[in-house]
Amino acid sequence: MRISHLSAECSPFAKTGGLGDVVGALPKALARRGHDVDIWIPFHLEAAQWYRRRLQWPIEATPPFDVSILGRPYRVGILKGHLPHNDVPVYFVAHDPLFHRPGGLYAPNDSGMDDGLWRFTIFVRAALEAMRRLGRSPQVLHTHDWHPALATMLGAWSGWRNRWFDDVSSVLTIHNIQYQGAYPGHLFTTLGLPDDVRTGGLLDFRGSLNFLKGGIEAADVITTVSPTFAAEIQTPAGGAGLDAVLRGRNHRLTGILNGIDRQVWNPAADPHISARYSVDEPSGKSECRHELLRTAGFEPGDPGMVLGAIGRLVDQKGFDLLLEAAPELIRRGLRIVMLGSGEPALEGAMRLLESHHHGQFRAFLGYDEALSHRIEAGVDALVMPSRFEPCGLTQMYSLAYGTVPIVRKTGGLADSVIAYDGYNENIATGFHFDDPSPHALAAEILSAQHIFFQRGTWYRLMRNGMSVDNSWEHAAGLYEGVYQRAREVRGLAW
Ligand code: ADP
């Protein structure tokens, strides 16, 4: 099958979180299963820097062309590279004023305005036009999150159909329900889309434009990244306002747990860590632990339990709960290493804890891919106290690295970690807690600490986690079923 992925992120070129990891990995697994797959993302500054660091540059895929919005031409270039160590093509939509921007993938424009709706409208229109010019019309257009969701809507609008897209089914994957691409309704007229797009009502939601809502209505099949999250987003508590829309489409909605990219996250072959190890040869993990504790400014031989936490510092991740519980945990002998960047208040709280608890709490502020590998390998347990978590990858990396996850029982965290209940040490891989409070989190960490000192049980949990098959192969098989369904519901052959 010919499948095109459209996304704002793709690891390793441009990534802020799990979205980038998935788009960098799922297409490879699909290609290994014999599909003809490509990826389309904006040519962000980060992607240009990735190439420059390697003294490389993607090739020009087509001569530049104009995308016209309300008579104003936007000249776009289409560049072509491929995923590292792999030949899955990656097409970059280049338009420097919109994408070549310091300050992150979603940075506002020079005047501080969030111009995402124009950026991604131009991205989608340029990508579809380039597919037409290149003769690369996919059978399935797989869009990820709100940014490219307009592509599913354009397929649904008769005025936009042409010979190339008559035969295209669409799949939308929701990686995060909170980011919806919601903008004031009056901006519609500035997008240069035909009026019947508006009256079709797809983009409209409660008087505003909402790209994710439109994608949910228009896609032939909707997926999200874990079965539990697929159920949660259909409830008022978990739907971020879109639960009724999702309930209306639940016959088209399914949850597929993400896999992990074993070429990137494998302690037996990881170039970032100081010793390689595996479930059969686990001894290298203690060298990684030593090295991490030294880097963190802790006593390298500390026999106590060392906790790690990695992620975007936003309310969703619940790191405030960990920061509040930290003084008590430190008093009980735990050591904590945190890596993240985001909300200034959380960064400030991390700095403060570090200054009060030198040698016991270490805050690494910023985004550091290599360090995230060294933390996964070096700590004993990893905490994910998320308020909601569509899938979560960090805890899956922990399982692979023999690091025991302690997670809030929500979304993909509930689906990917089997909680230890005192009797199931033959299958358990970690710990769950329910209540999103510092108290419940601390209580669970302290019971994990208790097990940590029962070395036999702890090793069983580590081994169980390292033996879990979280590769993308399984998930790719399930996506294949989704693509077939997306073709069938439109009466198209596959
Ligand atoms: P989300 O997609 O909500 O950010 P996930 O757990 O699915 O959460 O994915 C997070 C990904 O981003 C993981 O690969 C994690 O290692 C990485 N990550 C997040 N913050 C940082 C950081 N500060 N430095 C390095 N990697 C990070």
Side-chain angles (χ1 to χ4, degrees), residues 123-206:
F123 165 66
V124 164
R125 288 192 44 198
L128 298 186
E129 173 61 18
M131 286 177 197
R132 197 184 65 76
R133 286 174 183 237
L134 291 167
R136 281 199 63 84
S137 153
Q139 291 168 291
V140 176
L141 202 55
H142 188 159
T143 57
H144 296 267
D145 276 349
W146 77 263
H147 318 93
L150 181 64
T152 66
M153 293 175 252
L154 293 180
W157 287 319
S158 56
W160 283 71
R161 282 200 171 279
N162 56 36
R163 285 188 333 147
W164 290 100
F165 292 102
D166 261 352
D167 185 41
V168 182
S169 306
S170 61
V171 172
L172 168 75
T173 296
I174 302 171
H175 297 259
N176 194 320
I177 191 92
Q178 275 206 329
Y179 305 117
Q180 301 180 356
Y183 293 92
H186 70 267
L187 292 178
F188 178 78
T189 51
T190 66
L191 294 177
L193 297 172
D195 271 350
D196 68 334
V197 165
R198 191 67 186 276
T199 45
L202 291 174
L203 256 185
D204 282 320
F205 187 55
R206 297 178 178 163

Side-chain angles (χ1 to χ4, degrees), residues 2-7 22-23 26-27 30 37-40 131 138-145 148 151-152 168-175 221-223 256 479 482-483:
R2 286 189 313 281
I3 305 150
S4 290
H5 291 265
L6 267 73
S7 170
V22 172
V23 176
L26 170 61
L30 290 166
V37 194
D38 56 30
I39 302 168
W40 296 75
M131 286 177 197
Q139 291 168 291
V140 176
L141 202 55
H142 188 159
T143 57
H144 296 267
D145 276 349
T152 66
V168 182
S169 306
S170 61
V171 172
L172 168 75
T173 296
I174 302 171
H175 297 259
V221 178
I222 306 123
T223 75
I256 300 176
Y479 275 105
V482 163
Y483 298 148

Side-chain angles (χ1 to χ4, degrees), residues 99-428:
F99 302 123
H100 204 79
R101 235 177 230 186
L105 307 187
Y106 306 110
N109 68 11
D110 282 347
S111 46
M113 182 187 187
D114 171 2
D115 58 352
L117 83 170
W118 297 294
R119 298 174 85 200
F120 291 104
T121 296
I122 289 168
F123 165 66
V124 164
R125 288 192 44 198
L128 298 186
E129 173 61 18
M131 286 177 197
R132 197 184 65 76
R133 286 174 183 237
L134 291 167
R136 281 199 63 84
S137 153
Q139 291 168 291
V140 176
L141 202 55
H142 188 159
T143 57
H144 296 267
D145 276 349
W146 77 263
H147 318 93
L150 181 64
T152 66
M153 293 175 252
L154 293 180
W157 287 319
S158 56
W160 283 71
R161 282 200 171 279
N162 56 36
R163 285 188 333 147
W164 290 100
F165 292 102
D166 261 352
D167 185 41
V168 182
S169 306
S170 61
V171 172
L172 168 75
T173 296
I174 302 171
H175 297 259
N176 194 320
I177 191 92
Q178 275 206 329
Y179 305 117
Q180 301 180 356
Y183 293 92
H186 70 267
L187 292 178
F188 178 78
T189 51
T190 66
L191 294 177
L193 297 172
D195 271 350
D196 68 334
V197 165
R198 191 67 186 276
T199 45
L202 291 174
L203 256 185
D204 282 320
F205 187 55
R206 297 178 178 163
S208 297
L209 306 177
N210 187 309
F211 284 80
L212 188 62
K213 180 263 179 185
I216 293 168
E217 299 266 32
D220 296 314
V221 178
I222 306 123
T223 75
T224 187
V225 287
S226 69
T228 297
F229 197 63
E232 287 172 352
I233 56 178
Q234 296 180 57
T235 66
L242 293 179
D243 47 295
V245 178
L246 285 158
R247 283 196 300 278
R249 300 278 293 157
N250 77 351
H251 55 297
R252 298 290 183 91
L253 170 66
T254 184
I256 300 176
L257 196 67
N258 286 333
I260 65 173
D261 187 343
R262 299 291 302 197
Q263 277 181 343
V264 180
W265 294 96
N266 177 3
D270 189 331
H272 299 299
I273 61 181
S274 50
R276 253 56 60 198
Y277 61 95
S278 66
V279 67
D280 298 320
E281 276 298 329
S283 57
K285 182 162 172 77
S286 51
E287 194 176 324
C288 294
R289 187 180 191 273
H290 240 75
E291 194 267 344
L292 178 71
L293 298 196
R294 197 176 309 117
T295 310
F298 297 175
E299 172 54 50
D302 194 322
M305 182 161 131
V306 182
L307 285 178
I310 304 169
R312 295 176 297 115
L313 302 176
V314 294
D315 186 61
Q316 174 199 338
K317 298 287 171 186
F319 289 130
D320 51 311
L321 308 177
L322 177 62
L323 294 170
E324 219 176 309
E328 169 67 4
L329 295 171
I330 291 165
R331 210 174 55 73
R332 304 282 200 111
L334 283 135
R335 305 288 169 257
I336 304 173
V337 181
M338 276 184 81
L339 165 64
S341 64
E343 284 168 19
L346 291 172
E347 293 194 358
M350 283 167 63
R351 275 199 203 93
L352 196 67
L353 273 168
E354 180 173 287
S355 68
H356 286 169
H357 301 278
H358 261 298
Q360 298 163 318
F361 183 97
R362 182 64 204 263
F364 292 104
L365 296 171
Y367 187 93
D368 188 335
E369 189 79 29
L371 181 58
S372 73
H373 286 243
R374 286 158 59 205
I375 293 175
E376 288 284 10
V379 296
D380 301 306
L382 180 119
V383 192
M384 279 188 81
S386 307
R387 292 195 164 79
F388 73 93
E389 192 60 73
C391 177
L393 290 170
T394 319
Q395 84 285 1
M396 296 215 248
Y397 302 147
S398 299
L399 294 172
Y401 280 68
T403 291
V404 176
I406 303 171
V407 302
R408 176 142 185 274
K409 192 179 176 195
T410 182
L413 300 177
D415 290 337
S416 60
V417 176
I418 303 172
Y420 179 60
D421 64 8
Y423 302 99
N424 61 348
E425 68 175 50
N426 53 335
I427 55 163

